[in-house]
């Protein structure tokens, strides 16, 4: 069941790194395989095992991206009614989906509390997230990397492709994911000097540094 907890990890996963567990969970979700052993191992991680998430940005990025995308697939598989509900943005994204280190997490908490460094999903990316938990304070990324918006898959057809992210390659993988997504969604009319961009640039304007930051971001990725 989504959001399950476990007191102990399966013996074969006692020495497996958190990032490897999250990768294996995501692959199992994509392949339609059983996920209980991976979820139990993630739930049983202690603070010592999770230390790399606090100490290394790339490790944290890869871990939480894989957790989010795996969580989406788990909810779609096990509780599809939440996504089909008219209250999807509350019921689906706030539903408990994974337990990490004994803490139950929703997609909302993984994205906004951890990956975006404690920013609210309201206020166009300029406002801090309210009611931030001690777990989020301890394990969130220090800054929001706007490329995550082209790596997170929330189940919609327009979402980015699902990839398994690796700590030592995560920056290169995020660059590729960003370029691929923008290449298929951004339209530039040089005659009118008008560019049409995905709505994520509006919803999270602050993550990109406002209007000037968005223009710089698009130029850097050769989208315009």
């Amino acid at each position: 069941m989504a959001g399950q907890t476990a007191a102990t990890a399966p013996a074969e996963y006692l020495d497996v790194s958190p990032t490897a567990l999250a990768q294996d969970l995501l692959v199992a979700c994509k392949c339609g395989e059983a996920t209980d052993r991976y979820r139990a191992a993630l739930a049983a991680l202690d603070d010592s095992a999770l230390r790399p998430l606090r100490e290394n940005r790339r490790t944290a990025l890869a871990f939480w991206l894989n957790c989010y995308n795996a969580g989406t697939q788990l909810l779609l598989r096990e509780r599809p009614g939440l996504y089909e509900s008219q209250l999807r943005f509350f019921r689906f994204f706030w539903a408990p989906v994974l337990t990490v280190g004994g803490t139950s997490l929703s997609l909302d908490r993984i994205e906004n509390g951890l990956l975006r460094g404690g920013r609210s999903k309201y206020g166009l990316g300029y406002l801090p997230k309210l009611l931030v938990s001690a777990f989020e304070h301890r394990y969130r990324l220090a800054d929001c990397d706007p490329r995550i918006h082209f790596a997170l898959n929330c189940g919609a057809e327009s979402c980015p492709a699902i990839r398994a992210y690796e700590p030592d390659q995560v920056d290169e993988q995020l660059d590729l994911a960003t370029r691929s997504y923008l290449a298929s969604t951004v339209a530039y009319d040089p005659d009118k000097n008008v560019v049409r961009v995905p709505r994520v640039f509006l919803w999270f304007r602050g993550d990109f540094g406002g209007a000037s930051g968005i223009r710089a971001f698009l130029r850097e990725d050769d989208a315009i």
Side-chain angles (χ1 to χ4, degrees), residues 116 120-127 201-207:
R116 295 182 61 236
S120 173
K121 63 181 177 182
Y122 305 109
L124 304 181
Y126 290 105
L127 301 178
F201 285 104
L202 171 62
W203 297 334
F204 299 102
R205 179 188 298 247
D207 289 7

Side-chain angles (χ1 to χ4, degrees), residues 80-92:
L82 296 180
Y83 193 84
E84 297 164 1
S85 169
Q86 293 183 342
L87 300 176
R88 173 194 310 170
F89 291 103
F90 295 98
R91 299 186 63 199
F92 185 80

Side-chain angles (χ1 to χ4, degrees), residues 146-147 149-150 200-201 204-210 212-214 217:
R147 296 175 300 172
H149 295 296
F150 310 106
V200 68
F201 285 104
F204 299 102
R205 179 188 298 247
D207 289 7
F208 294 91
S212 62
I214 291 172
F217 186 89

